[in-house]
Amino acid sequence: GSCRGNSVERKIYIPLNRTAPCVRLLNATHQIGCQSSISGDTGVIHVVEKEEDLRWVLADGPHPPYMILLDGNLFNRSVLLQLKGTSRVSGLAVAAANPSPPQGFSPGLKCPNDGFGVYSKDYGPEFAHCNTTVWNPLGSGISYEDFDFPIFLLEDANETQVIKQCYLDHNVPRDGSAPQYPLCAMQLFSHMHAVTSTVTCMRRSSLQSTFSINPEIVCDPLLDYNVWSTLQPINSSGKVDPEKEVIMVATRIDSHSFFWNIAPGAEGAVSSFVTHLAAAEALHKAPDVPLLPRNVMFTFFQGETFDYIGSSRMVYDMEQDKFPLRLDNIHSFVELNQVALRNGSILWMHTDPVSRMNQSVDAQVRNLLDTLSRSSVGSTVTLQEAGFSQPLPPSSFQRFLRARHIPGVVLTDHRTAFHNRYYQSMYDTPENIRMQYPDGLSPEETLEYVTDTAKALAEVATVVARALYGLAGGTNSTSAIQADPKTVTRMLYGFLIKMNNSWFQSIIKPDLKGILGDVPQHYVAVSSPVNTTYLVQYVLANLTGTVVNLTKEECLNPEKNPHSEREVGAHPRVGWKSRLGMGVFVAWESRGSSSVRRYLGAQQGQGGNGHSVGKEEPGWDQTQWGHRTRGIPWVLPFPSQIITLVPPIAILVLSLLTTYFINAKPPLLFSLPRDPGAVAY
């Protein structure tokens, strides 16, 4: 016969399998984020779909504490601060808004990375703290607040509906009176080990490592690798000649949101680094690349969301002579920022007005702007200068300017405030950059379908590639330098919709295919490299590598064959990949450099949200948590049922104690009868 088992736990609890917690992060002086108590926080569920529903939670409800199921359109600073100031709330589950909130939503700061850029009381004080331009006016700053209760995102609409139905069945007030037991409740687990600040966390971890046999590390630094490559090969073991000039083109590859590992970053990161990759491919196709008098360095910074971790590390390595390039080698700097939401055809060129007060720097910047403008002639992209009095937007270039006056420009789709209404939020999705596909396409057809967004970004990449060719000293016609829209559309699909696709599978090593998850996220983490870093490196290698006519054995062991050693010798990286069913060998110049944060600077600066943060160097850590974060709703029984349960337990305990004493002291309780023969008459 057949046997069937059914867990009692599954009959009582409803597991939530698709959730994302808000976790605790630490900087030099503060903690931000959320956490539960060590055993989780429990409360009676109350659904809040309009602000008036909060009154029941904050004042009228007779069964506190409450676990709130909040409509995504109400997830804002005003509501969160009301909940933060009361003991009647034990936690918050947020149902993602669909469609995205039309008014916009950004949990980041109004002045991103304030205190860590170039502008300060000593350098352009009129531009410090976004005094001239508030770049992210919709920024609420809630990502940088500290909440003492758990907050979870519900990613599955079906699970959200299960919780709502439980609420409707048990918790809705009837005829104006309070609901009666049994009530529907929920418990959220997200206990965080670290508290206070990075300094405190590092000290406690150090003490654990010193005195404990089984040390428990309570936090880990946010770290990863920058990815960089050069147009002309350089000797990886040596240094670039001091007289050799390099054009540096850069972008960021990370994003962030309020919830852990939910960072789509379509406009905030992906649009720019996809354009960057497409420009690198287009420039590499120019026939006279080896003859250009200047080299070009393609740089992808990781961790820029958190006070420019990646660019700070590269500047530090250059200053300490731990990098093949020095700051003095940088001829000029071009950065791609948010570029997907252009109004019409305009792309804005931002420069630093303070460094341009130097006539020599101003002349070089003017040449840079003219070269970019000439490169856009004949394209659908129009480049315009943002204005001499306009400061730089938040950008990696600012970290380089802190070290040296480098001529540079930052390209964006906005002149002043961001066009991105969902900056650093879970709603910065493909829909935000207007990626649209016809209905009924298969995954493979969707991968190959060239969207209007891909065409627009390919135009930007073409302009950038042609400008870089001119800046590098190229004098030939640039008409052949053209970015491929099909490559751009593949990258957008892979980095925004589905990483596990046939194109990505064909360009990475077979043993790395496990990194290809379904839904791409671009959050810098404590385990490195993250998926995005791996894929950017392999896509860059695929687009800029050189196919050489060698066997697999000759490729992987070039020192055994003089011919193959000559073929491969100019390239510091080699790899075997499969393309269209056959193996080809690709030699490429693509590298990673550490972007781990260094120890905190002693000088302090004022953060954009009223928080004091370490000014000199970023110092972000993410706390560890003991067990997996999770949420479980269930039905809370009548109090009378609990009362009914207590007397039998008390009787059982009394019976056990009585039995123990009877067994322990029988002579006192039971006297033995006397022997009849001993009786005297």
Side-chain angles (χ1 to χ4, degrees), residues 486-513:
K486 185 169 285 292
T487 300
V488 174
T489 208
R490 286 175 174 176
M491 289 191 286
L492 289 174
Y493 179 82
F495 285 113
L496 287 175
I497 296 176
K498 188 176 182 181
M499 279 188 170
N500 194 9
N501 61 74
S502 59
W503 188 57
F504 277 2
Q505 289 172 7
S506 72
I507 64 177
I508 66 171
K509 294 192 298 184
D511 58 334
L512 286 178
K513 289 185 178 180

PDB file of all heavy atoms in Angstrom, residues 486-513:
ATOM      1  N   LYS A 486      22.197  45.021 -32.205  1.00  0.00           N
ATOM      2  CA  LYS A 486      21.891  43.642 -31.815  1.00  0.00           C
ATOM      3  C   LYS A 486      22.689  43.235 -30.572  1.00  0.00           C
ATOM      4  O   LYS A 486      22.168  42.569 -29.682  1.00  0.00           O
ATOM      5  CB  LYS A 486      22.161  42.676 -32.975  1.00  0.00           C
ATOM      6  CG  LYS A 486      21.746  41.244 -32.683  1.00  0.00           C
ATOM      7  CD  LYS A 486      21.789  40.386 -33.921  1.00  0.00           C
ATOM      8  CE  LYS A 486      20.624  40.670 -34.834  1.00  0.00           C
ATOM      9  NZ  LYS A 486      19.325  40.238 -34.249  1.00  0.00           N
ATOM     10  N   THR A 487      23.941  43.662 -30.509  1.00  0.00           N
ATOM     11  CA  THR A 487      24.731  43.396 -29.305  1.00  0.00           C
ATOM     12  C   THR A 487      24.133  44.113 -28.101  1.00  0.00           C
ATOM     13  O   THR A 487      24.048  43.547 -27.010  1.00  0.00           O
ATOM     14  CB  THR A 487      26.185  43.855 -29.514  1.00  0.00           C
ATOM     15  OG1 THR A 487      26.753  43.141 -30.608  1.00  0.00           O
ATOM     16  CG2 THR A 487      27.014  43.593 -28.269  1.00  0.00           C
ATOM     17  N   VAL A 488      23.706  45.349 -28.301  1.00  0.00           N
ATOM     18  CA  VAL A 488      23.115  46.127 -27.208  1.00  0.00           C
ATOM     19  C   VAL A 488      21.837  45.470 -26.713  1.00  0.00           C
ATOM     20  O   VAL A 488      21.609  45.352 -25.501  1.00  0.00           O
ATOM     21  CB  VAL A 488      22.843  47.580 -27.654  1.00  0.00           C
ATOM     22  CG1 VAL A 488      22.097  48.349 -26.564  1.00  0.00           C
ATOM     23  CG2 VAL A 488      24.142  48.285 -27.999  1.00  0.00           C
ATOM     24  N   THR A 489      20.990  45.005 -27.621  1.00  0.00           N
ATOM     25  CA  THR A 489      19.723  44.407 -27.195  1.00  0.00           C
ATOM     26  C   THR A 489      19.958  43.090 -26.454  1.00  0.00           C
ATOM     27  O   THR A 489      19.233  42.763 -25.505  1.00  0.00           O
ATOM     28  CB  THR A 489      18.778  44.218 -28.401  1.00  0.00           C
ATOM     29  OG1 THR A 489      17.420  44.263 -27.941  1.00  0.00           O
ATOM     30  CG2 THR A 489      19.027  42.931 -29.148  1.00  0.00           C
ATOM     31  N   ARG A 490      20.984  42.338 -26.851  1.00  0.00           N
ATOM     32  CA  ARG A 490      21.315  41.109 -26.120  1.00  0.00           C
ATOM     33  C   ARG A 490      21.771  41.431 -24.696  1.00  0.00           C
ATOM     34  O   ARG A 490      21.392  40.749 -23.740  1.00  0.00           O
ATOM     35  CB  ARG A 490      22.421  40.350 -26.849  1.00  0.00           C
ATOM     36  CG  ARG A 490      21.996  39.644 -28.117  1.00  0.00           C
ATOM     37  CD  ARG A 490      23.210  39.045 -28.804  1.00  0.00           C
ATOM     38  NE  ARG A 490      22.853  38.233 -29.967  1.00  0.00           N
ATOM     39  CZ  ARG A 490      23.733  37.681 -30.775  1.00  0.00           C
ATOM     40  NH1 ARG A 490      25.042  37.857 -30.552  1.00  0.00           N
ATOM     41  NH2 ARG A 490      23.348  36.954 -31.799  1.00  0.00           N
ATOM     42  N   MET A 491      22.607  42.466 -24.572  1.00  0.00           N
ATOM     43  CA  MET A 491      23.091  42.829 -23.242  1.00  0.00           C
ATOM     44  C   MET A 491      21.953  43.342 -22.363  1.00  0.00           C
ATOM     45  O   MET A 491      21.876  43.006 -21.172  1.00  0.00           O
ATOM     46  CB  MET A 491      24.196  43.883 -23.359  1.00  0.00           C
ATOM     47  CG  MET A 491      25.503  43.335 -23.921  1.00  0.00           C
ATOM     48  SD  MET A 491      26.893  44.485 -23.775  1.00  0.00           S
ATOM     49  CE  MET A 491      26.486  45.680 -25.034  1.00  0.00           C
ATOM     50  N   LEU A 492      21.066  44.152 -22.907  1.00  0.00           N
ATOM     51  CA  LEU A 492      19.935  44.651 -22.118  1.00  0.00           C
ATOM     52  C   LEU A 492      19.056  43.502 -21.638  1.00  0.00           C
ATOM     53  O   LEU A 492      18.609  43.477 -20.485  1.00  0.00           O
ATOM     54  CB  LEU A 492      19.111  45.637 -22.946  1.00  0.00           C
ATOM     55  CG  LEU A 492      19.753  47.003 -23.224  1.00  0.00           C
ATOM     56  CD1 LEU A 492      18.873  47.812 -24.178  1.00  0.00           C
ATOM     57  CD2 LEU A 492      19.964  47.775 -21.921  1.00  0.00           C
ATOM     58  N   TYR A 493      18.808  42.544 -22.523  1.00  0.00           N
ATOM     59  CA  TYR A 493      17.999  41.383 -22.138  1.00  0.00           C
ATOM     60  C   TYR A 493      18.692  40.581 -21.038  1.00  0.00           C
ATOM     61  O   TYR A 493      18.075  40.192 -20.040  1.00  0.00           O
ATOM     62  CB  TYR A 493      17.748  40.501 -23.362  1.00  0.00           C
ATOM     63  CG  TYR A 493      16.935  39.261 -23.066  1.00  0.00           C
ATOM     64  CD1 TYR A 493      15.543  39.321 -23.001  1.00  0.00           C
ATOM     65  CD2 TYR A 493      17.546  38.025 -22.845  1.00  0.00           C
ATOM     66  CE1 TYR A 493      14.787  38.185 -22.726  1.00  0.00           C
ATOM     67  CE2 TYR A 493      16.810  36.890 -22.578  1.00  0.00           C
ATOM     68  CZ  TYR A 493      15.429  36.972 -22.522  1.00  0.00           C
ATOM     69  OH  TYR A 493      14.690  35.849 -22.238  1.00  0.00           O
ATOM     70  N   GLY A 494      19.995  40.360 -21.201  1.00  0.00           N
ATOM     71  CA  GLY A 494      20.726  39.538 -20.231  1.00  0.00           C
ATOM     72  C   GLY A 494      20.895  40.214 -18.887  1.00  0.00           C
ATOM     73  O   GLY A 494      20.785  39.568 -17.843  1.00  0.00           O
ATOM     74  N   PHE A 495      21.162  41.521 -18.871  1.00  0.00           N
ATOM     75  CA  PHE A 495      21.423  42.214 -17.616  1.00  0.00           C
ATOM     76  C   PHE A 495      20.159  42.740 -16.936  1.00  0.00           C
ATOM     77  O   PHE A 495      20.215  43.168 -15.784  1.00  0.00           O
ATOM     78  CB  PHE A 495      22.388  43.380 -17.841  1.00  0.00           C
ATOM     79  CG  PHE A 495      23.815  42.963 -18.037  1.00  0.00           C
ATOM     80  CD1 PHE A 495      24.451  43.142 -19.256  1.00  0.00           C
ATOM     81  CD2 PHE A 495      24.530  42.377 -17.000  1.00  0.00           C
ATOM     82  CE1 PHE A 495      25.773  42.757 -19.444  1.00  0.00           C
ATOM     83  CE2 PHE A 495      25.847  41.981 -17.176  1.00  0.00           C
ATOM     84  CZ  PHE A 495      26.468  42.171 -18.404  1.00  0.00           C
ATOM     85  N   LEU A 496      19.011  42.705 -17.650  1.00  0.00           N
ATOM     86  CA  LEU A 496      17.789  43.253 -17.056  1.00  0.00           C
ATOM     87  C   LEU A 496      16.633  42.261 -16.971  1.00  0.00           C
ATOM     88  O   LEU A 496      15.777  42.406 -16.107  1.00  0.00           O
ATOM     89  CB  LEU A 496      17.319  44.482 -17.849  1.00  0.00           C
ATOM     90  CG  LEU A 496      18.141  45.754 -17.665  1.00  0.00           C
ATOM     91  CD1 LEU A 496      17.640  46.841 -18.602  1.00  0.00           C
ATOM     92  CD2 LEU A 496      18.089  46.228 -16.223  1.00  0.00           C
ATOM     93  N   ILE A 497      16.597  41.277 -17.862  1.00  0.00           N
ATOM     94  CA  ILE A 497      15.431  40.396 -17.900  1.00  0.00           C
ATOM     95  C   ILE A 497      15.785  38.970 -17.513  1.00  0.00           C
ATOM     96  O   ILE A 497      15.186  38.408 -16.592  1.00  0.00           O
ATOM     97  CB  ILE A 497      14.780  40.442 -19.300  1.00  0.00           C
ATOM     98  CG1 ILE A 497      14.261  41.856 -19.569  1.00  0.00           C
ATOM     99  CG2 ILE A 497      13.641  39.422 -19.400  1.00  0.00           C
ATOM    100  CD1 ILE A 497      13.677  42.046 -20.952  1.00  0.00           C
ATOM    101  N   LYS A 498      16.756  38.376 -18.172  1.00  0.00           N
ATOM    102  CA  LYS A 498      17.089  36.980 -17.883  1.00  0.00           C
ATOM    103  C   LYS A 498      18.563  36.727 -18.135  1.00  0.00           C
ATOM    104  O   LYS A 498      19.006  36.699 -19.288  1.00  0.00           O
ATOM    105  CB  LYS A 498      16.235  36.038 -18.742  1.00  0.00           C
ATOM    106  CG  LYS A 498      16.378  34.574 -18.363  1.00  0.00           C
ATOM    107  CD  LYS A 498      15.452  33.693 -19.173  1.00  0.00           C
ATOM    108  CE  LYS A 498      15.565  32.235 -18.745  1.00  0.00           C
ATOM    109  NZ  LYS A 498      14.683  31.352 -19.537  1.00  0.00           N
ATOM    110  N   MET A 499      19.320  36.525 -17.067  1.00  0.00           N
ATOM    111  CA  MET A 499      20.742  36.232 -17.216  1.00  0.00           C
ATOM    112  C   MET A 499      20.990  34.869 -17.841  1.00  0.00           C
ATOM    113  O   MET A 499      21.937  34.686 -18.610  1.00  0.00           O
ATOM    114  CB  MET A 499      21.439  36.304 -15.855  1.00  0.00           C
ATOM    115  CG  MET A 499      21.784  37.702 -15.394  1.00  0.00           C
ATOM    116  SD  MET A 499      22.798  37.675 -13.903  1.00  0.00           S
ATOM    117  CE  MET A 499      23.277  39.415 -13.800  1.00  0.00           C
ATOM    118  N   ASN A 500      20.153  33.908 -17.497  1.00  0.00           N
ATOM    119  CA  ASN A 500      20.360  32.544 -17.983  1.00  0.00           C
ATOM    120  C   ASN A 500      19.815  32.413 -19.402  1.00  0.00           C
ATOM    121  O   ASN A 500      18.760  31.847 -19.646  1.00  0.00           O
ATOM    122  CB  ASN A 500      19.676  31.551 -17.044  1.00  0.00           C
ATOM    123  CG  ASN A 500      20.128  30.128 -17.304  1.00  0.00           C
ATOM    124  OD1 ASN A 500      21.061  29.882 -18.064  1.00  0.00           O
ATOM    125  ND2 ASN A 500      19.469  29.170 -16.675  1.00  0.00           N
ATOM    126  N   ASN A 501      20.566  32.967 -20.365  1.00  0.00           N
ATOM    127  CA  ASN A 501      20.153  32.918 -21.758  1.00  0.00           C
ATOM    128  C   ASN A 501      21.280  32.318 -22.599  1.00  0.00           C
ATOM    129  O   ASN A 501      22.417  32.160 -22.145  1.00  0.00           O
ATOM    130  CB  ASN A 501      19.774  34.313 -22.259  1.00  0.00           C
ATOM    131  CG  ASN A 501      20.930  35.292 -22.192  1.00  0.00           C
ATOM    132  OD1 ASN A 501      21.859  35.235 -22.990  1.00  0.00           O
ATOM    133  ND2 ASN A 501      20.884  36.208 -21.222  1.00  0.00           N
ATOM    134  N   SER A 502      20.966  32.000 -23.831  1.00  0.00           N
ATOM    135  CA  SER A 502      21.914  31.261 -24.674  1.00  0.00           C
ATOM    136  C   SER A 502      23.175  32.078 -24.971  1.00  0.00           C
ATOM    137  O   SER A 502      24.265  31.513 -25.095  1.00  0.00           O
ATOM    138  CB  SER A 502      21.238  30.846 -25.982  1.00  0.00           C
ATOM    139  OG  SER A 502      20.774  31.993 -26.690  1.00  0.00           O
ATOM    140  N   TRP A 503      23.056  33.400 -25.096  1.00  0.00           N
ATOM    141  CA  TRP A 503      24.235  34.206 -25.424  1.00  0.00           C
ATOM    142  C   TRP A 503      25.211  34.243 -24.257  1.00  0.00           C
ATOM    143  O   TRP A 503      26.408  34.033 -24.430  1.00  0.00           O
ATOM    144  CB  TRP A 503      23.812  35.625 -25.825  1.00  0.00           C
ATOM    145  CG  TRP A 503      24.951  36.435 -26.363  1.00  0.00           C
ATOM    146  CD1 TRP A 503      25.754  36.124 -27.431  1.00  0.00           C
ATOM    147  CD2 TRP A 503      25.435  37.676 -25.853  1.00  0.00           C
ATOM    148  NE1 TRP A 503      26.701  37.116 -27.624  1.00  0.00           N
ATOM    149  CE2 TRP A 503      26.528  38.075 -26.671  1.00  0.00           C
ATOM    150  CE3 TRP A 503      25.057  38.502 -24.800  1.00  0.00           C
ATOM    151  CZ2 TRP A 503      27.229  39.260 -26.452  1.00  0.00           C
ATOM    152  CZ3 TRP A 503      25.756  39.683 -24.590  1.00  0.00           C
ATOM    153  CH2 TRP A 503      26.830  40.047 -25.408  1.00  0.00           C
ATOM    154  N   PHE A 504      24.707  34.512 -23.055  1.00  0.00           N
ATOM    155  CA  PHE A 504      25.580  34.506 -21.885  1.00  0.00           C
ATOM    156  C   PHE A 504      26.196  33.127 -21.667  1.00  0.00           C
ATOM    157  O   PHE A 504      27.359  33.006 -21.289  1.00  0.00           O
ATOM    158  CB  PHE A 504      24.815  34.939 -20.639  1.00  0.00           C
ATOM    159  CG  PHE A 504      24.709  36.438 -20.473  1.00  0.00           C
ATOM    160  CD1 PHE A 504      25.236  37.305 -21.413  1.00  0.00           C
ATOM    161  CD2 PHE A 504      24.075  36.980 -19.360  1.00  0.00           C
ATOM    162  CE1 PHE A 504      25.145  38.684 -21.261  1.00  0.00           C
ATOM    163  CE2 PHE A 504      23.974  38.355 -19.197  1.00  0.00           C
ATOM    164  CZ  PHE A 504      24.504  39.213 -20.152  1.00  0.00           C
ATOM    165  N   GLN A 505      25.416  32.078 -21.904  1.00  0.00           N
ATOM    166  CA  GLN A 505      25.943  30.727 -21.736  1.00  0.00           C
ATOM    167  C   GLN A 505      27.106  30.462 -22.686  1.00  0.00           C
ATOM    168  O   GLN A 505      28.037  29.716 -22.357  1.00  0.00           O
ATOM    169  CB  GLN A 505      24.835  29.705 -21.984  1.00  0.00           C
ATOM    170  CG  GLN A 505      23.775  29.653 -20.902  1.00  0.00           C
ATOM    171  CD  GLN A 505      22.604  28.768 -21.276  1.00  0.00           C
ATOM    172  OE1 GLN A 505      22.633  28.085 -22.303  1.00  0.00           O
ATOM    173  NE2 GLN A 505      21.563  28.781 -20.455  1.00  0.00           N
ATOM    174  N   SER A 506      27.088  31.093 -23.860  1.00  0.00           N
ATOM    175  CA  SER A 506      28.118  30.827 -24.860  1.00  0.00           C
ATOM    176  C   SER A 506      29.414  31.581 -24.602  1.00  0.00           C
ATOM    177  O   SER A 506      30.441  31.256 -25.201  1.00  0.00           O
ATOM    178  CB  SER A 506      27.594  31.192 -26.255  1.00  0.00           C
ATOM    179  OG  SER A 506      27.495  32.602 -26.403  1.00  0.00           O
ATOM    180  N   ILE A 507      29.388  32.600 -23.718  1.00  0.00           N
ATOM    181  CA  ILE A 507      30.590  33.428 -23.569  1.00  0.00           C
ATOM    182  C   ILE A 507      31.275  33.265 -22.219  1.00  0.00           C
ATOM    183  O   ILE A 507      32.321  33.879 -21.996  1.00  0.00           O
ATOM    184  CB  ILE A 507      30.262  34.926 -23.790  1.00  0.00           C
ATOM    185  CG1 ILE A 507      29.287  35.438 -22.721  1.00  0.00           C
ATOM    186  CG2 ILE A 507      29.728  35.165 -25.185  1.00  0.00           C
ATOM    187  CD1 ILE A 507      28.991  36.914 -22.836  1.00  0.00           C
ATOM    188  N   ILE A 508      30.709  32.462 -21.323  1.00  0.00           N
ATOM    189  CA  ILE A 508      31.376  32.242 -20.044  1.00  0.00           C
ATOM    190  C   ILE A 508      31.889  30.809 -19.969  1.00  0.00           C
ATOM    191  O   ILE A 508      31.465  29.936 -20.725  1.00  0.00           O
ATOM    192  CB  ILE A 508      30.452  32.536 -18.844  1.00  0.00           C
ATOM    193  CG1 ILE A 508      29.296  31.533 -18.792  1.00  0.00           C
ATOM    194  CG2 ILE A 508      29.923  33.950 -18.892  1.00  0.00           C
ATOM    195  CD1 ILE A 508      28.480  31.632 -17.518  1.00  0.00           C
ATOM    196  N   LYS A 509      32.793  30.593 -19.031  1.00  0.00           N
ATOM    197  CA  LYS A 509      33.343  29.247 -18.860  1.00  0.00           C
ATOM    198  C   LYS A 509      32.246  28.301 -18.365  1.00  0.00           C
ATOM    199  O   LYS A 509      31.382  28.706 -17.574  1.00  0.00           O
ATOM    200  CB  LYS A 509      34.490  29.287 -17.851  1.00  0.00           C
ATOM    201  CG  LYS A 509      35.699  30.061 -18.315  1.00  0.00           C
ATOM    202  CD  LYS A 509      36.910  29.830 -17.425  1.00  0.00           C
ATOM    203  CE  LYS A 509      36.674  30.282 -16.007  1.00  0.00           C
ATOM    204  NZ  LYS A 509      37.889  30.150 -15.166  1.00  0.00           N
ATOM    205  N   PRO A 510      32.278  27.051 -18.781  1.00  0.00           N
ATOM    206  CA  PRO A 510      31.226  26.103 -18.376  1.00  0.00           C
ATOM    207  C   PRO A 510      31.081  25.975 -16.870  1.00  0.00           C
ATOM    208  O   PRO A 510      29.964  25.802 -16.369  1.00  0.00           O
ATOM    209  CB  PRO A 510      31.684  24.782 -19.013  1.00  0.00           C
ATOM    210  CG  PRO A 510      32.518  25.191 -20.180  1.00  0.00           C
ATOM    211  CD  PRO A 510      33.213  26.452 -19.763  1.00  0.00           C
ATOM    212  N   ASP A 511      32.194  26.062 -16.122  1.00  0.00           N
ATOM    213  CA  ASP A 511      32.087  25.883 -14.681  1.00  0.00           C
ATOM    214  C   ASP A 511      31.513  27.112 -13.987  1.00  0.00           C
ATOM    215  O   ASP A 511      31.292  27.094 -12.769  1.00  0.00           O
ATOM    216  CB  ASP A 511      33.460  25.549 -14.085  1.00  0.00           C
ATOM    217  CG  ASP A 511      34.496  26.624 -14.379  1.00  0.00           C
ATOM    218  OD1 ASP A 511      34.346  27.329 -15.397  1.00  0.00           O
ATOM    219  OD2 ASP A 511      35.456  26.758 -13.600  1.00  0.00           O
ATOM    220  N   LEU A 512      31.232  28.192 -14.728  1.00  0.00           N
ATOM    221  CA  LEU A 512      30.646  29.392 -14.130  1.00  0.00           C
ATOM    222  C   LEU A 512      29.179  29.562 -14.481  1.00  0.00           C
ATOM    223  O   LEU A 512      28.574  30.576 -14.127  1.00  0.00           O
ATOM    224  CB  LEU A 512      31.412  30.638 -14.593  1.00  0.00           C
ATOM    225  CG  LEU A 512      32.793  30.860 -13.980  1.00  0.00           C
ATOM    226  CD1 LEU A 512      33.439  32.103 -14.586  1.00  0.00           C
ATOM    227  CD2 LEU A 512      32.692  31.016 -12.466  1.00  0.00           C
ATOM    228  N   LYS A 513      28.601  28.581 -15.159  1.00  0.00           N
ATOM    229  CA  LYS A 513      27.209  28.744 -15.581  1.00  0.00           C
ATOM    230  C   LYS A 513      26.239  28.798 -14.404  1.00  0.00           C
ATOM    231  O   LYS A 513      25.101  29.234 -14.554  1.00  0.00           O
ATOM    232  CB  LYS A 513      26.818  27.620 -16.552  1.00  0.00           C
ATOM    233  CG  LYS A 513      27.487  27.775 -17.910  1.00  0.00           C
ATOM    234  CD  LYS A 513      27.016  26.751 -18.920  1.00  0.00           C
ATOM    235  CE  LYS A 513      27.695  26.992 -20.268  1.00  0.00           C
ATOM    236  NZ  LYS A 513      27.281  26.017 -21.299  1.00  0.00           N
TER     237      LYS A 513
END
